[in-house]
Amino acid sequence: MNASDVFVIGGGIAGLSIAWRAATRGLTVTLADPDPGARATRASAGMLAPVSEVTYTEEPLLRLGLASLERWPAFAGELEAASGIPVDLRGDGTVEVAYDADDLAQLDELAAFEEKLGLRVERLTGRQCRQAEPMLSPNVRGGLLARDDLWVNPRRVAQALQQALQNAGGRIVRERIASLDDLSAGHVVVAAGAWSPSLLPGLPIRPVKGQILRLRGPRGFLSKCVRATVRGSEVYLVPRDDGEIVVGATMEELGFDTRVTAGGVYELLRDAREIVPGITELDLAETFAGLRPGTPDNLPYVGRHGGVWVAAGHHRAGVLLAPLTADAVVAGFFGEADLMPECSPARI
Ligand code: GLY
């Protein structure tokens, strides 16, 4: 390998963002991945929804999510300008809806928590939910409108980051790095998601499988991002500008298994149909499964560990936390203040 200031292992959204940010600060950067953007980032729906996405007892993760959400509009704007690739950042609002009385009680608790945090959230009756998003089922009992949540197309983001990195002088090598030995760089960064422990044995990151579907409908079929709890299980429907609807996602602890199963697809479609009955008319364009990198406390590891930098373990929040993670790691290269002290690998 040629020596660089920075050598990043892993071309998911975390590794690509770190590499791009480092290159824009004048560092020479090499990123290695056999197929950048092809694993968890490719599976991801791209919701930037810190409150509804984390268990709301996890306040450190919530704080990080809110801090990274604030960075997203500028990050997306700079990325689009640097790459010429639109990333579909949308903020048309998210409706979180409840299907039965228990789901509604859970949503009420979430609303109370969001209000306590001073977040803008409106409680909606079933009728108001349908006014906000006309495709919702008449059975929806009530919901919340979160106007500040955003979402983005992670596949576009990964493509844009590769382009922007190369435009900034960075190099992408399509290789799998099996060992940290013999890497000569000022800073080596392990950002290999669920595969990070193969480079750093003892790092407590495990794969958490998520099956996800892509439906194709007419443009504007859904105007808002829809999240729901249906008899206790969570489902989300994320619309793209081109008519694609991403429906996700299962949570399965099955090791490195990326099979798409009939049961997984059935459960997603069953729950999504309860909330938006019209989806049964759409094309089933793609099924996919990715591996979230889970950690014991659901916080990522971002910081120095075993002589290298690590940026992995972002579990359900990889896309949301990418701008903050990139700024935190690059700040670390320059000896600046730690932006994610909660995520120090020292807690292992
Ligand atoms: N962030 C969505 C998921 O992990 O399913």
Side-chain angles (χ1 to χ4, degrees):
M1 293 292 165
N2 290 338
S4 309
D5 294 327
V6 179
F7 191 94
V8 180
I9 305 167
I13 195 162
L16 285 165
S17 300
I18 293 163
W20 174 53
R21 285 300 210 206
T24 59
R25 288 195 60 178
L27 300 176
T28 56
V29 180
T30 301
L31 178 140
D33 191 302
D35 197 359
R39 285 177 289 274
T41 301
R42 182 164 178 79
S44 165
M47 284 171 299
L48 310 175
V51 175
S52 38
E53 192 54 18
V54 303
T55 306
Y56 48 91
T57 48
E58 295 174 337
E59 297 206 16
L61 185 54
L62 182 62
R63 187 192 75 73
L64 297 168
L66 292 170
S68 202
L69 178 66
E70 230 177 76
R71 286 168 198 254
W72 252 105
F75 183 85
E78 278 178 51
L79 182 57
E80 288 182 340
S83 65
I85 297 173
V87 298
D88 288 354
L89 181 71
R90 285 181 59 174
D92 308 297
T94 295
V95 273
E96 295 181 52
V97 300
Y99 183 73
D100 66 17
D102 287 346
D103 301 332
L104 195 57
Q106 200 180 321
L107 210 57
D108 273 342
E109 279 179 33
L110 179 65
F113 181 70
E114 289 176 332
E115 283 159 359
K116 197 178 108 195
L117 289 171
L119 301 173
R120 231 160 38 113
V121 57
E122 291 160 43
R123 293 177 196 242
L124 305 178
T125 61
R127 179 189 294 256
Q128 288 168 329
C129 287
R130 284 181 289 283
Q131 280 163 356
E133 176 47 73
M135 295 310 284
L136 289 173
S137 158
N139 295 329
V140 162
R141 298 283 290 260
L144 306 176
L145 178 60
R147 292 190 192 272
D148 298 329
D149 280 1
L150 305 175
W151 68 98
V152 73
N153 184 336
R155 295 182 177 187
R156 291 281 194 85
V157 174
Q159 216 189 342
L161 283 167
Q162 289 174 69
Q163 190 60 56
L165 172 60
Q166 286 168 320
N167 291 350
R171 205 164 65 98
I172 297 177
V173 292
R174 292 184 169 258
E175 279 176 33
R176 196 176 81 80
I177 302 295
S179 157
L180 298 179
D181 299 341
D182 306 327
L183 291 180
S184 59
H187 303 285
V188 171
V189 184
V190 175
W195 290 268
S196 299
S198 69
L199 294 159
L200 290 169
L203 195 64
I205 294 182
R206 67 187 196 284
V208 181
K209 176 175 169 180
Q211 300 188 48
I212 196 152
L213 317 175
R214 281 171 169 77
L215 309 178
R216 189 154 297 282
R219 277 168 190 266
F221 175 82
L222 282 182
S223 60
K224 297 202 162 26
C225 183
V226 176
R227 301 180 63 99
T229 310
V230 182
R231 300 186 197 94
S233 74
E234 283 179 31
V235 66
Y236 48 79
L237 297 98
V238 182
R240 305 262 179 253
D241 285 346
D242 62 1
E244 181 179 88
I245 312 259
V246 182
V247 179
T250 64
M251 292 276 287
E252 301 166 77
E253 305 260 0
L254 292 171
F256 286 89
D257 168 5
T258 50
R259 288 174 313 124
V260 174
T261 62
V265 174
Y266 164 72
E267 282 169 25
L268 290 173
L269 287 176
R270 178 197 63 196
D271 293 345
R273 191 190 64 163
E274 294 285 16
I275 299 302
V276 181
I279 60 154
T280 51
E281 298 305 317
L282 308 184
D283 296 348
L284 177 57
E286 185 188 302
T287 59
F288 196 74
L291 299 173
R292 306 174 183 90
T295 64
D297 57 7
N298 289 338
L299 280 172
Y301 297 114
V302 179
R304 293 284 291 171
H305 179 69
V308 298
W309 293 88
V310 57
H314 292 73
H315 196 218
R316 297 179 62 112
V319 179
L320 171 64
L321 294 179
L324 182 64
T325 300
D327 287 349
V329 173
V330 177
F333 296 160
F334 287 94
E336 296 164 2
D338 188 352
L339 297 175
M340 300 177 79
E342 303 88 336
C343 300
S344 167
R347 73 187 192 282
I348 294 169

